[in-house]
Amino acid sequence: RKIELGSKEQSAELEQLARAFNQMIEKLDRTFARQRQFVADASHELKTPLTVISSYANMLKRWGRDDQNVRDEAVEAIAKESQRLQNLTKSMLMLAEAEQEDWLKLESFDLVHLADETADMLHATFQRMIRVHTPKTDVKMMADKDKIRQLLVILLDNAIKYSKEPIDIIISVTKGTVRLSVADKGIGIPEHDMPHLFERFFRVDGARSRSTGGVGLGLSIAKRIVDLHEGQIDVFSKPDKGTTITVVLPHKK
Ligand code: ADP
């Protein structure tokens, strides 16, 4: 289509183009700002355990030879903080991977079978009872099986960390959607913290979460996985009563 130079039509087209260009720049700006924030937060998170490790190593060097108590304390702290660094880097890699990919490895699988398998695996590791409630039939679905497993592990891992009672996985199918909930009767989440749960590195209580080995990335990864599947994730929680996290996914077969 030919547009005459200097015509009204041309200036309208140019204006539209400029607007689209500005929107693109704004989006890029937001992405860069998010990346910068992530690098700053990640560096801070890495610095804390590294500082502890290096202080205890110095303590060992100075007094470790003569003092058994110093040796025990230092070795324990170094082991704990190294484990924390390991959790942190593992979660950061997982998040980077989930954010980088905007495609899914779709395959057909039975969600009930996957839930049973994941529950058995975590039961064997943590010795916690995990009950799986499912419809009478299997729930065949088309999704990224590895990512859905990862999502389940994150939700169950949190339920194990923040509760002591048995945990329930509830699966149901309604009108073109699959609903998957993980419910615990644990410490719950205060109302004012709810809006921040999916932010990277957010923890309700830094000290409490640190002692359980939490790094504050699990739910960001979970949200990314759900977004990739065009689903929705919601948290219902009451302090001292428990937490239920529900994921609703489109039921593609
Ligand atoms: P973390 O690795 O610290 O568990 P997450 O991103 O998975 O990080 O969760 C963010 C925060 O939300 C946690 O630090 C914890 O305070 C809170 N949280 C998540 N799941 C639960 C749960 N089932 N019960 C209580 N608190 C939870």
Side-chain angles (χ1 to χ4, degrees):
R1 189 163 62 104
K2 195 162 172 240
I3 296 171
E4 240 172 79
L5 286 180
S7 67
K8 246 191 186 165
E9 216 183 344
Q10 190 204 21
S11 60
E13 286 236 333
L14 278 177
E15 209 172 290
Q16 209 178 6
L17 205 68
R19 217 174 299 132
F21 185 72
N22 282 341
Q23 274 170 2
M24 209 169 74
I25 297 286
E26 272 167 31
K27 201 172 156 200
L28 276 176
D29 269 351
R30 280 198 299 272
T31 309
F32 283 135
R34 248 168 82 84
Q35 293 294 8
R36 277 197 298 273
Q37 185 65 45
F38 180 72
V39 172
D41 291 344
S43 314
H44 177 78
E45 293 290 330
L46 289 167
K47 213 172 123 198
T48 318
L50 281 174
T51 308
V52 177
I53 289 174
S54 113
S55 317
Y56 274 104
N58 279 330
M59 207 166 111
L60 265 182
K61 231 170 26 191
R62 280 199 185 175
W63 299 295
R65 200 186 295 268
D66 309 315
D67 192 331
Q68 175 73 41
N69 288 340
V70 166
R71 276 206 300 277
D72 291 347
E73 191 188 330
V75 167
E76 190 165 324
I78 289 171
K80 192 169 150 216
E81 296 300 317
S82 310
Q83 180 62 53
R84 188 173 167 68
L85 278 177
Q86 247 170 27
N87 292 349
L88 197 60
T89 41
K90 203 171 115 195
S91 296
M92 276 165 56
L93 280 174
M94 238 155 57
L95 181 67
E97 208 179 273
E99 296 235 313
Q100 228 170 40
E101 295 170 0
D102 43 16
W103 49 274
L104 294 169
K105 247 186 352 213
L106 293 181
E107 61 182 297
S108 175
F109 62 92
D110 173 18
L111 184 63
V112 173
H113 183 68
L114 183 72
D116 279 335
E117 218 179 65
T118 313
D120 285 349
M121 181 187 84
L122 289 178
H123 173 74
T125 315
F126 297 101
Q127 306 302 314
R128 285 287 294 280
M129 189 198 279
I130 304 173
R131 301 176 291 217
V132 186
H133 310 263
T134 62
K136 293 214 163 44
T137 56
D138 51 11
V139 177
K140 278 264 178 324
M141 65 184 297
M142 186 68 113
D144 191 319
K145 189 177 174 187
D146 288 338
K147 286 202 166 61
I148 300 294
R149 184 188 290 113
Q150 207 176 20
L151 168 72
L152 249 171
V153 169
I154 290 170
L155 300 183
L156 288 170
D157 205 40
N158 277 345
I160 290 169
K161 275 192 293 194
Y162 303 112
S163 76
K164 292 199 174 68
E165 310 271 320
I167 295 154
D168 295 294
I169 301 179
I170 306 132
I171 296 173
S172 65
V173 179
T174 36
K175 283 185 275 162
T177 60
V178 175
R179 186 179 277 263
L180 168 72
S181 299
V182 173
D184 68 62
K185 296 191 184 65
I187 55 175
I189 300 162
E191 174 92 47
H192 62 268
D193 286 317
M194 298 286 247
H196 307 291
L197 289 179
F198 297 106
E199 289 169 14
R200 296 146 160 194
F201 297 113
F202 176 81
R203 302 180 202 105
V204 168
D205 173 347
R208 178 186 85 183
S209 169
R210 260 183 78 82
S211 67
T212 58
V215 299
L217 286 179
L219 288 181
S220 322
I221 300 168
K223 169 106 175 67
R224 174 71 185 157
I225 293 174
V226 173
D227 285 348
L228 280 172
H229 283 86
E230 293 168 341
Q232 205 182 315
I233 181 163
D234 288 303
V235 183
F236 304 89
S237 189
K238 268 219 156 76
D240 300 324
K241 290 267 181 295
T243 303
T244 300
I245 302 199
T246 299
V247 172
V248 180
L249 300 171
H251 194 188
K252 295 186 185 137
K253 287 192 222 177

